[in-house]
Amino acid sequence: MHAALRARPHQPPLGAPAQAARPAPLAHARRIRRPGRPHHPHRRRPPGGGLPDLHRSDPLLKKILFAVLFALTVYLTVRFFSHASGASLGGVLALIGTITLPLWLGLAALTCLFYMLDWIRLRSMLAVLGHPLRFAQGLRLTCVSYFVTSITPSAELHTPAMMFVLGRQGVPIPHALAASVSKSIYMTLWICLVSCLTLTFGHAIPLPAPLQVGLPLLTAPLLGIALLLALMAFFPGPVMRWTERRAGAMKDGGLWQKTLLGIGQSAHAISAIGKSTDVQHLVCHLASVVFLLTYVAIGSLLATHFGFTLTWLQALTIFSTSLMIAYLAPVPGAIGVAEVATSYMLDAALTPQGMAVAVTLRVLCWYLVAVPGALVLAREFRLAGAWKLPKVFS
């Protein structure tokens, strides 16, 4: 065969009718869709046919669903503890309505001081690391803190939420983690110290038998966390090398790998806080003590108004233990548990007056800022353009 013919193998044989060249597909050509049927070329229809896809459904529908579930949970919790305590919700609200205007003004002033001390504690920890924190920023962080603590059993989302919001304000993630964790641990240790000392050496306060057994178990993880922080504060090098070695064996770019590396990088920041002789370090401890005393003062005013006669040591024992239960109970925000425990310590009969003290105290010093915290966190996520934590921290 001639060499020219061998070079053109696709040419039709001699005598065959010529065929028109096939046009190349246009770049913008689209597959013809069937009318009335959505086109998902890379997605198979899930089993079950017409079941709705919650991941792609209307976001408003999901928000309404979660809001209804949350409201139902709160309602059932209130109904359960109202039945268990014998104090109806209507009776408790009627008692709260007897609080006079001067007392409300005093409670409002103490409540403002209570939340301002939360800002001072975080501000002092960030100041040790060289980061300022304005009052408005601190107030938003305080609201977010109480919200995320109220929706997780053991405040698991507290530190990630603080890291996220502080990171958006320009604070490096390791410094944000170190300041947030140190501030929380300092406060919890002071609360546990005062509560345990007053329960041991102060006036005997009646505690339910399960709570007497459970308190040591609740404080055990706290001691472990405190020891880990001490290890990171005084030996940051070995901690960082261990986290790097463990992270090297994990999938590159994975969430757990980033978490381990973040902990290792935060070891130096925690070490800087733990070894710091800056006056701001002392300010954090003083603010923690005043924070606790402010909570006790609010509880004492409410107890006096509702007819309870307490010595200062009894008040310190009851309300420091109440705050310790609120911090350590493995229930989202200690909802219900803290109220019943506070009422029980005031009066083992669980009277409506005791429940009125407990509910008012918790509303002022916990739930008041939880709803604004949800709005602040939602706004921060929306501005960040991401709604999943792995995507936010990538």
Side-chain angles (χ1 to χ4, degrees):
M1 186 179 291
H2 196 274
L5 295 178
R6 286 199 303 267
R8 293 179 291 178
H10 299 292
Q11 185 174 356
L14 295 175
Q19 296 182 358
R22 192 172 187 178
L26 297 177
H28 61 275
R30 296 181 180 178
R31 183 179 298 178
I32 299 176
R33 303 181 185 178
R34 292 183 182 178
R37 183 174 181 180
H39 176 61
H40 296 292
H42 303 293
R43 182 181 172 195
R44 291 185 176 180
R45 190 174 182 136
L51 293 177
D53 187 351
L54 292 179
H55 295 286
R56 294 180 180 268
S57 60
D58 186 2
L60 179 61
L61 180 61
K62 290 193 289 185
K63 292 177 183 178
I64 293 174
L65 175 62
F66 286 124
V68 170
L69 290 176
F70 179 76
L72 182 62
T73 302
V74 173
Y75 172 75
L76 292 176
T77 302
V78 171
R79 291 285 297 176
F80 172 76
F81 284 107
S82 296
H83 177 74
S85 64
S88 66
L89 180 60
V92 171
L93 293 177
L95 286 171
I96 294 174
T98 64
I99 298 177
T100 60
L101 179 59
L103 180 56
W104 275 124
L105 294 176
L107 293 173
L110 288 172
T111 302
C112 291
L113 175 62
F114 180 81
Y115 291 117
M116 185 178 295
L117 288 164
D118 194 282
W119 162 66
I120 291 174
R121 291 188 293 123
L122 182 58
R123 175 184 174 276
S124 60
M125 289 290 91
L126 289 171
V128 172
L129 299 174
H131 304 288
L133 182 66
R134 298 194 303 273
F135 176 73
Q137 294 173 326
L139 182 59
R140 288 196 295 269
L141 284 163
T142 298
C143 295
V144 169
S145 171
Y146 280 90
F147 167 67
V148 295
T149 303
S150 298
I151 61 174
T152 48
S154 300
E156 293 90 350
L157 284 181
H158 176 267
T159 300
M162 295 296 100
M163 292 165 58
F164 169 62
V165 180
L166 284 171
R168 284 185 47 78
Q169 295 176 2
V171 179
I173 293 299
H175 289 189
L177 181 134
S180 175
V181 170
S182 300
K183 167 229 175 190
S184 299
I185 291 298
Y186 284 166
M187 184 72 256
T188 309
L189 287 175
W190 273 110
I191 292 171
C192 291
L193 176 63
V194 173
S195 175
C196 292
L197 286 177
T198 53
L199 283 172
T200 304
F201 301 107
H203 293 278
I205 298 297
L207 290 177
L211 191 57
Q212 292 178 358
V213 176
L215 277 179
L217 297 177
L218 291 176
T219 55
L222 176 67
L223 295 177
I225 295 174
L227 290 175
L228 177 61
L229 283 179
L231 179 66
M232 295 174 71
F234 293 98
F235 305 100
V239 173
M240 190 168 184
R241 287 192 294 271
W242 181 84
T243 54
E244 288 179 347
R245 189 165 57 250
R246 294 287 297 174
M250 295 182 176
K251 179 182 177 181
D252 289 340
L255 178 61
W256 288 111
Q257 184 190 54
K258 293 180 181 179
T259 302
L260 272 177
L261 291 175
I263 292 174
Q265 294 168 3
S266 301
H268 287 285
I270 292 174
S271 177
I273 292 175
K275 297 178 181 179
S276 173
T277 57
D278 193 313
V279 68
Q280 294 295 335
H281 200 173
L282 177 62
V283 167
C284 183
H285 287 284
L286 291 177
S288 299
V289 175
V290 179
F291 180 89
L292 173 59
L293 294 178
T294 304
Y295 186 87
V296 173
I298 294 173
S300 300
L301 287 175
L302 290 169
T304 301
H305 172 77
F306 289 113
F308 295 97
T309 303
L310 303 175
T311 66
W312 68 270
L313 187 55
Q314 286 176 322
L316 184 62
T317 304
I318 291 173
F319 295 112
S320 63
T321 304
S322 168
L323 195 56
M324 179 174 69
I325 293 170
Y327 268 59
L328 298 181
V331 177
I335 297 174
V337 176
E339 287 85 348
V340 171
T342 305
S343 178
Y344 187 92
M345 289 186 287
L346 286 168
D347 188 346
L350 293 176
T351 60
Q353 289 78 9
M355 287 299 294
V357 173
V359 169
T360 309
L361 178 62
R362 289 276 289 168
V363 168
L364 291 176
C365 297
W366 199 283
Y367 307 132
L368 186 64
V369 297
V371 174
L375 299 177
V376 170
L377 188 60
R379 180 177 180 273
E380 291 292 335
F381 271 99
R382 187 172 66 252
L383 293 177
W387 286 91
K388 295 181 180 180
L389 287 179
K391 188 175 180 181
V392 170
F393 290 110
S394 61

